[in-house]
Amino acid sequence: MTTTRTLGRDGMAVSALGFGCWAIGGEHWMADGQPVGWGKVDDDESVRAVRRAFDLGVTFFDTADSYGTGHSEEILGRALGKRRDEVVLATKWGNVFDPDTRTLTGTDDTPEYARRALTASLRRLGTDRVDLYQLHISDAGPERAAELRDACEEFVREGLVRAYGWSTDDPERAAVFAEGPHCAAVQHALNVLQDAPRTLALCERLELASVNRSPLAMGLLAGRREGTLDAGDIRSRPPAWLPGYASDGSGADPQWLDRIDAVRSLLTSDGRTLAQGSLAWLWARSPRTVPIPGFRTVAQAEENAGAIEKGPLTTGQLAEIDRLLGR
């Protein structure tokens, strides 16, 4: 397969595999104490992992200002340093947070806040522009979204942003942003167990990139089955929008594990690990997909990047997986 894909309509090339930087932000919480990070991190290891990914051909890194309440952006900026111009940087805005307490305190969908958030992200990332700026409020109203789309067009005119998109699982909302000439992508959940045909159809029709959040189903498609989770790990107390983990904190949902076992042999064909096969499924699903698996270690970065050379699954394997999953 080609090792690059196009981000949207203006021909911005990215590696077919991106890296999601939520986990390296470290622990942070909702105001009620709900964890929304992935537990403790080693910042030096995070930096080594980002640099290793780059050395292995990954040129697309996706973060958000709220990940670790700014910490992920700072670590990503530190890791890339002088290599910044060799990569495509994506971040998000819309969540309001207190970095002193590492707490998310609400949302702000005003254009004025978008500008303040962008200015702060540029500082933390150590750059003069964001390549893909994404609205992080998945359920924002369409009228306000149109205002924010226009604000993003102004950021493009000022040279602060190259392109923009919306992180939402609602294709009708995504279509509102797509009316802007510099809209390039929709970020949405997509993995072997959670298909999104309507959003993929929108991306195909409107020439948008499909940036795939949760490509490894929050670790389940990377092999997580048992074991205790840190109290600061979102999966230990999963919110309603996070499927695949039991709401009582007991770990992985057995039904999800059964579905993974049903397709495991197909995903691990040709010497792939389960994670690599899951990424291969995404590339086979659509020519517009750019999965962004998370990572916290060099070993995880190497395993994920190793999927690139193995390429996508075949059309026949894709059809057989659909059959086994009853789709």
Side-chain angles (χ1 to χ4, degrees):
M1 83 169 190
T2 176
T3 57
T4 61
R5 293 205 162 181
T6 301
L7 208 62
R9 308 155 177 161
D10 72 348
M12 198 187 320
V14 297
S15 52
L17 179 71
F19 267 40
C21 300
W22 179 8
I24 65 171
E27 294 180 311
H28 54 295
W29 292 268
M30 300 295 290
D32 63 0
Q34 160 77 50
V36 283
W38 287 66
K40 298 186 188 310
V41 287
D42 176 337
D43 290 343
D44 290 338
E45 178 72 359
S46 298
V47 168
R48 287 190 291 269
V50 169
R51 291 175 177 168
R52 182 63 177 144
F54 178 84
D55 289 342
L56 292 170
V58 175
T59 63
F60 180 52
F61 294 89
D62 175 89
T63 185
D65 60 0
S66 60
Y67 296 163
T69 59
H71 192 64
S72 175
E73 289 184 329
E74 291 170 350
I75 292 299
L76 184 56
R78 173 183 149 195
L80 293 173
K82 293 179 180 178
R83 289 171 147 179
R84 187 272 171 263
D85 289 343
E86 300 174 60
V87 304
V88 172
L89 276 184
T91 193
K92 310 178 196 74
W93 93 95
N95 290 299
V96 182
F97 52 87
D98 180 352
D100 293 330
T101 61
R102 287 201 162 219
T103 303
L104 303 188
T105 57
T107 60
D108 190 329
D109 65 359
T110 63
E112 294 76 19
Y113 181 73
R115 183 174 290 277
R116 293 201 302 275
L118 175 57
T119 300
S121 286
L122 293 172
R123 175 178 51 78
R124 285 188 293 263
L125 288 164
T127 185
D128 61 354
R129 71 201 179 282
V130 168
D131 298 308
L132 180 66
Y133 200 39
Q134 301 158 105
L135 177 59
H136 209 178
I137 307 173
S138 62
D139 59 351
E143 288 186 11
R144 180 48 61 87
E147 292 180 45
L148 295 172
R149 179 195 66 216
D150 293 344
C152 285
E153 284 291 334
E154 179 58 32
F155 299 154
V156 171
R157 283 191 289 274
E158 294 175 27
L160 301 173
V161 165
R162 286 179 68 188
Y164 56 86
W166 194 343
S167 179
T168 179
D169 292 331
D170 181 353
E172 292 180 2
R173 281 182 163 84
V176 174
F177 254 39
E179 291 174 16
H182 293 93
C183 182
V186 184
Q187 183 168 144
H188 63 102
L190 183 67
N191 58 57
V192 174
L193 305 178
Q194 294 173 281
D195 201 359
R198 291 176 59 228
T199 300
L200 289 173
L202 176 85
C203 291
E204 184 63 37
R205 189 172 76 250
L206 300 180
E207 298 182 79
L208 302 173
S210 159
V211 178
N212 308 138
R213 172 169 33 85
S214 199
L216 301 179
M218 302 292 283
L220 296 178
L221 288 165
R224 168 167 278 282
R225 297 184 74 86
E226 307 296 340
T228 56
L229 293 156
D230 287 346
D233 189 319
I234 189 171
R235 297 168 297 180
S236 69
R237 285 177 54 195
W241 53 263
L242 196 165
Y245 287 87
S247 58
D248 62 4
S250 59
D253 182 330
Q255 291 184 322
W256 279 58
L257 295 180
D258 288 346
R259 294 169 69 206
I260 292 169
D261 288 340
V263 297
R264 181 181 298 274
S265 63
L266 282 162
L267 294 176
T268 56
S269 61
D270 303 315
R272 295 181 177 93
T273 66
L274 180 62
Q276 290 170 346
S278 300
L279 297 171
W281 180 88
L282 286 159
W283 289 320
R285 182 66 183 83
S286 165
R288 298 195 172 274
T289 54
V290 184
I292 50 168
F295 65 99
R296 280 189 281 187
T297 66
V298 170
Q300 289 170 334
E302 290 176 339
E303 179 180 359
N304 289 340
I308 298 173
E309 64 188 50
K310 296 181 183 297
L313 296 182
T314 66
T315 303
Q317 288 170 323
L318 210 64
E320 180 64 7
I321 286 170
D322 276 346
R323 188 188 69 78
L324 290 168
L325 294 176
R327 293 199 290 240

